[in-house]
Amino acid sequence: QVQLVESGGGLVQAGGSLRLACAASGRALSEYDMGWFRQAPGKEREFVAAISWSGSRSYYADSSKGRFTISRDNAKNTVYLQMNSLKPEDTAVYYCAASRTAPGVQDTLYDYWGQGTQVTVSS
């Protein structure tokens, strides 16, 4: 079983950038496809981005395409989410998740979740 811990959240002004990290322990990150999700207050959790175990394929929600970049360093057991041109509507708790099956938009594909990191974008 893999444990996931997110970091890098915080308060940033609109137009700014943040880089989230998700560190894995317990098992090798290379065994999993990885995803980032977010949940804003009063809203359902939504897909942000996903990446295959090798890093060769990545997927983005329309809301994050062109602004966010997902990447991974299996040697460091870490997945990243670079977020640029942040908007107030990006404010949410961001979660990373690991899948034993496939990288995808549905949260039901993912088996393990981190505790989340808060991202707040001020206008």
Side-chain angles (χ1 to χ4, degrees), residues 56-113:
S56 62
R57 293 173 290 142
S58 57
Y59 309 88
Y60 295 92
D62 288 343
S63 60
S64 54
K65 201 173 298 182
R67 298 187 300 126
F68 295 1
T69 303
I70 188 171
S71 62
R72 65 191 299 158
D73 185 338
N74 287 340
K76 294 183 178 180
N77 261 9
T78 304
V79 176
Y80 303 97
L81 185 68
Q82 177 67 44
M83 304 187 296
N84 299 328
S85 302
L86 282 162
K87 305 174 182 179
E89 51 263 45
D90 294 318
T91 295
V93 177
Y94 283 70
Y95 300 90
C96 70
S99 172
R100 293 174 295 181
T101 54
V105 302
Q106 295 180 336
D107 57 5
T108 52
L109 286 171
Y110 296 85
D111 306 286
Y112 305 101
W113 293 80

Side-chain angles (χ1 to χ4, degrees), residues 34-68:
M34 299 296 294
W36 285 96
F37 290 77
R38 67 187 183 187
Q39 187 167 21
K43 295 187 177 181
E44 293 187 352
R45 184 165 57 191
E46 65 175 359
F47 170 76
V48 175
I51 189 167
S52 62
W53 68 270
S54 66
S56 62
R57 293 173 290 142
S58 57
Y59 309 88
Y60 295 92
D62 288 343
S63 60
S64 54
K65 201 173 298 182
R67 298 187 300 126
F68 295 1

